[in-house]
Every structure is written in structure tokens, then in C-alpha cells.
Amino acid sequence: MNPSPRALILSLMLGAESRGGGVLGARELLAACALFGVPESTVRVTLTRAVAGGLMRVPRRGSYALGPEARALADEVHRWRRTASLITPWAGDWIAVHVGATGRSDRVALRARERAFGLLGMAEFERGLHLRPNNLCGGAGSLRQRLQALVPAGTDIGTVFLLQDLSDADTQRAHGLWDTSALDHAYRDTTARLCAWLDDYSRLALDRAARESFTLGHDAIRQLMFDPLLPAPLIDHGARERFMQAVVRFDDAGQAIWQRFLTAARQQDPRDRFPVTPHPLDQETAP
């Protein structure tokens, strides 16, 4: 399933930032969105709304960059390449967030906090109490700062603290908050899928390679961003390491493909129209 126009454009801008530029022109965005069948009119409406909402800004006429409202999420996305360095040995204690006293009427804030918990690997241990192993650099203080940055200003994030000395029964229950078998399977499955594509993509036409690398890379990076980063022996540490390495290799290849695609888009005659549905190119291969 194709991403929504808003999600697609934000992902394209995040990719531009990771390449060191951070700015894309309207022509590049139109060409990129056309790969996924998004009409020009929809792209322009989406850009206008994103700028009005602070998700995008216009550094110069006809060019776009991420705006202040997208900054916290962008920082989390860019963090994925440093994931391995964020993990520390686990001593068996936990980081806890208690939200029992926070309001539940603000649905926007509630959804933002739930999404933040997902990004931070928190799981609900009992009503109002969320836990994760204390195996990330910076401990509770760092997690508190990240949580605060991921929710709307003024949102009550609850009480963040370290938790130790759970009973044996509660420790066992805490270990079961995550489906670790599913995590291990996903590591191996995604690694195999990415490596198979990397072995074969040089035969693809540029448009098809750009679209497939975006879709596969977006899903893999999202999987890594929402990975709870559990310590061994809760998960297969070796499988996760291989998965992380495969995502980095894939992203390197994808960035190079998109650099070529966007360069071609910039050089296209502005009187030309970008194809809205380029899917027949799927049948083409490079000579």
C-alpha cells in the first residue's frame, strides 16, 4: 500500500536531510510523488497544508524544508543509524512511566504520548504504568527528555523513574510484555528481504529502483525505529545486529538511487509533465 501524500512528502524531506541538504524543490517533490501515483494538485495542496501547520517551511521560493513542528520526529528518525551505540548492558532494572494521574480527555495529546511510548519501547505493565528495560544510554533522564520532545508542548508526560527489585513473578510478567519470538522472526525476515533486493536491484530501471527502495527502506527503518531495543537474552542479539547492518547497507544504496533520481528530476524540462502512474516501468530493466 502506498503511503499517504503527507507521509510520503515528510519521508522524502527526512531523506533529504540525511543526505546533508535538507531542501527539495517543488519539481523534485512532484517527480517523486508521481512515482506513487500522487497527482500534482494533491502534492501542492499537501505542501500548502504542511507549511501552514509548521511541518514544512519555505526557505526560498519553490523550495521546501522541514519545519519546527517536524523537528522532534525528525531527530528520532535520524537517531536510527546510531541505534547500536545507544544500547548499554542491562543490570535487570527498569525505566517506568506512571501516567495514572494525567488527563485522558485530550485525544491529540493522548495519541502523541502513545506514539512516543512506541518509539521509546515502553509497554504497559498495568493500567497507567509503562515499563522498559533500563538498557539505553542516559537512563531515565534521557528517556524523560525524549518523551517530552515527542509530545505537544504542555502535555503531561507522567512520572518517569527507575524501578528495581520486582518480585520474581512480576519480573517474569514484565519479560512477557513483548512478543520476543515475533521480534526475532522479524529481524531475520527483513534482513533476508533487504539482502535479496540488494543482490538484484542493479537490473532495475531507475524509477522502479527508486520506488522499491523507498518502500522497502521506509518499512525497515520504521521497524528499527519502533524496535523496543530489548537486551539479550530477551531477544536474539546476533539477529538484531545483522538486521541493523542490513538496514544501513540498504539505506546507503537507496540514498544513492534517490540522488540519481532527484538529479534527473531537477534537470527535466519544466514544460514536461511528470507521469502520474509510472507503474508500466516495472517491466523495464537496465540493459
Side-chain angles (χ1 to χ4, degrees), residues 11-61:
S11 294
L12 291 167
M13 298 308 308
L14 288 166
E17 273 206 349
S18 67
R19 289 190 295 274
V23 177
L24 289 178
R27 189 185 302 178
E28 297 163 289
L29 288 167
L30 288 170
C33 290
L35 284 178
F36 299 88
V38 182
E40 178 179 332
S41 59
T42 301
V43 176
R44 295 193 183 280
V45 168
T46 302
L47 288 171
T48 299
R49 290 175 176 172
V51 170
L55 291 172
M56 307 267 285
R57 58 186 180 86
V58 184
R60 57 183 179 271
R61 183 179 175 85

Side-chain angles (χ1 to χ4, degrees), residues 164-187:
Q164 298 175 311
D165 296 327
L166 287 176
S167 69
D168 290 343
D170 283 341
T171 296
Q172 192 67 28
R173 187 157 60 94
H175 287 184
L177 294 177
W178 299 269
D179 188 343
T180 53
S181 294
L183 287 170
D184 289 344
H185 174 78
Y187 296 145

Side-chain angles (χ1 to χ4, degrees), residues 102-111 113:
T102 60
R104 300 185 62 86
S105 58
D106 188 340
R107 295 192 176 278
V108 173
L110 218 74
R111 286 195 298 270
R113 191 171 63 206

Side-chain angles (χ1 to χ4, degrees), residues 2 20 36 39 44 62 81 88 93 98-99 111 132 143 172 187 190-191 207 214 244 262-263 284:
N2 286 343
F36 299 88
R44 295 193 183 280
R81 272 188 172 260
T88 62
D93 54 344
H98 184 251
V99 296
R111 286 195 298 270
R132 68 151 296 113
L143 187 137
Q172 192 67 28
Y187 296 145
T190 303
T191 299
D207 284 12
F214 179 93
M244 290 179 179
L262 293 172
T263 297
E284 297 183 12

Side-chain angles (χ1 to χ4, degrees), residues 1 5 13 26 40 90 98 118 139 156 164 182 215 223-224 234 256 271 285 287:
M1 184 174 63
M13 298 308 308
E40 178 179 332
W90 185 42
H98 184 251
D156 188 350
Q164 298 175 311
T215 302
Q223 179 182 335
L224 183 51
L234 298 184
R271 291 169 298 180
T285 57

Side-chain angles (χ1 to χ4, degrees), residues 118 162 218 247 275 281:
L162 287 179
H218 177 273
V247 177
L281 290 173

Side-chain angles (χ1 to χ4, degrees), residues 197-206 208-209 283-287:
W197 194 89
L198 287 170
D199 288 341
D200 198 48
Y201 80 93
S202 61
R203 301 187 305 104
L204 302 178
L206 179 58
R208 179 177 176 183
Q283 305 305 315
E284 297 183 12
T285 57

